[in-house]
Amino acid sequence: MLDTLFDRFDNIIVLDTETTGFSPRSEEIIELAMLHVSPGGVTREYDQFIRLSPGRSIPPKIVELTGITDGILESEGVSKAEVCADLADMLSLARPLVVAYNAQFDLGFLYYFLKGFGKASALKNVKMLDALTVYRDRRPFPHKLSDAVAAYALVSQNTHRAIDDTKATYELLCAMDEEEQDLHRYINLFGYNAKYGVSGQRISSVSYRPQGYENRIKLYMQP
C-alpha cells in the first residue's frame, strides 16, 4: 500500500488541525493530530489539545462544530511550546511527506505556529500532498471530507475532530492509491477554485493550478 509514495519517502505524516477560525495569522490551533505512517502502516498516533493564549476563548460556532470547549483545553490541553517541539520532531524524520485534506489550510496554520517559536524552518524542503486535490480529480462535486468518506465507504468518519479526520484522510489516501497509483504525481501540486483563487499565503515550494469541479484531465497533466 502507498508503494509509489514510499519509493520516494521514508515517512508519511498525515495530519489535521482544529482551529478557532480561518486566518492563520490571527487565529489559533486548538487541536493537532498526526499519524506517523511507515511502509508497514501506522506506527504512531498523536493527538493533542493546545491551550489558548491568555484572554482568548473558543468561538461558539467552533464549539458547536468540534465539541471542543475552553474547559477541555484548560483541563486536557498542553502548552503551545510542547506541541511545537513535537511537531518539529515529527517533521525532522528522514525523507518525510506531509499529507492533509485541504492541506493549504493546515499548512498555513502550522507555518505561523512554528514561526512563533522560531521553528518555521522545520517545514523547509518538506514535500506535501493535498488529498483534497487528488479527490477532486477522482470524483465530481461536492468535495468535503465527509463526501469522500461516503464515496469510498470508509470506516473512519469526518467528525470535525482532528484525530478522526486524520484517520479518515489516511484511509482515503489508501483507497485512492488502491484505485489508481498516481498519488506521487500530486506531490507539491495543489488545486484551487479559479473563482476564489488560492486561499491564504502561497507556499513557495508548491505549484498551484486552477481545478474545476469536474475534471476530465488530471491536474498534473494540464499545461
Side-chain angles (χ1 to χ4, degrees):
M1 191 66 70
L2 304 178
D3 290 343
T4 64
L5 295 181
F6 282 116
D7 284 344
R8 295 161 174 79
F9 303 95
D10 295 328
N11 300 277
I12 295 176
I13 305 161
V14 186
L15 57 81
D16 186 64
T17 61
E18 297 301 334
T19 68
T20 57
F22 295 106
S23 172
R25 291 177 180 269
S26 59
E27 302 295 344
E28 298 189 9
I29 300 173
I30 56 177
E31 183 187 11
L32 172 64
M34 298 182 284
L35 298 181
H36 174 213
V37 184
S38 67
V42 177
T43 59
R44 182 189 177 192
E45 292 185 12
Y46 178 95
D47 181 32
Q48 195 61 261
F49 293 119
I50 307 172
R51 290 196 293 269
L52 290 171
S53 300
R56 297 207 56 155
S57 61
I58 305 175
K61 287 186 178 180
I62 301 299
V63 174
E64 182 180 353
L65 183 68
T66 66
I68 302 171
T69 65
D70 292 327
I72 289 174
L73 297 190
E74 189 62 32
S75 62
E76 301 180 37
V78 301
S79 70
K80 292 180 174 65
E82 181 177 337
V83 175
C84 182
D86 292 339
L87 173 60
D89 285 345
M90 189 76 84
L91 293 173
S92 70
L93 292 169
R95 294 202 306 165
L97 173 68
V98 170
V99 179
Y101 196 88
N102 192 13
Q104 178 72 13
F105 177 88
D106 295 294
L107 290 167
F109 270 92
L110 294 181
Y111 171 77
Y112 283 102
F113 182 67
L114 290 163
K115 184 180 180 181
F117 294 92
K119 294 182 179 290
S121 61
L123 283 170
K124 188 176 182 180
N125 300 322
V126 172
K127 303 296 184 182
M128 307 162 187
L129 191 153
D130 178 27
L132 170 59
T133 294
V134 182
Y135 183 65
R136 283 191 184 122
D137 267 359
R138 301 293 183 90
R139 296 291 189 277
F141 183 83
H143 294 126
K144 293 180 180 179
L145 180 56
S146 58
D147 301 312
V149 166
Y152 285 90
L154 304 181
V155 174
S156 297
Q157 298 297 306
N158 167 217
T159 66
H160 298 292
R161 275 291 313 280
I163 187 60
D164 294 334
D165 291 358
T166 298
K167 290 178 179 179
T169 298
Y170 172 59
E171 281 193 42
L172 173 63
L173 190 72
C174 292
M176 292 192 298
D177 178 66
E178 186 174 359
E179 181 179 58
E180 186 173 354
Q181 288 72 53
D182 66 349
L183 295 180
H184 61 288
R185 303 289 298 273
Y186 293 90
I187 294 167
N188 280 19
L189 175 63
F190 290 8
Y192 67 91
N193 187 315
K195 181 178 180 180
Y196 301 106
V198 175
S199 175
Q201 184 174 332
R202 288 176 180 250
I203 301 167
S204 60
S205 60
V206 170
S207 295
Y208 294 90
R209 297 182 188 176
Q211 188 177 31
Y213 285 140
E214 297 187 25
N215 300 299
R216 296 176 181 175
I217 302 175
K218 295 292 183 69
L219 191 65
Y220 57 77
M221 298 177 66
Q222 296 179 20

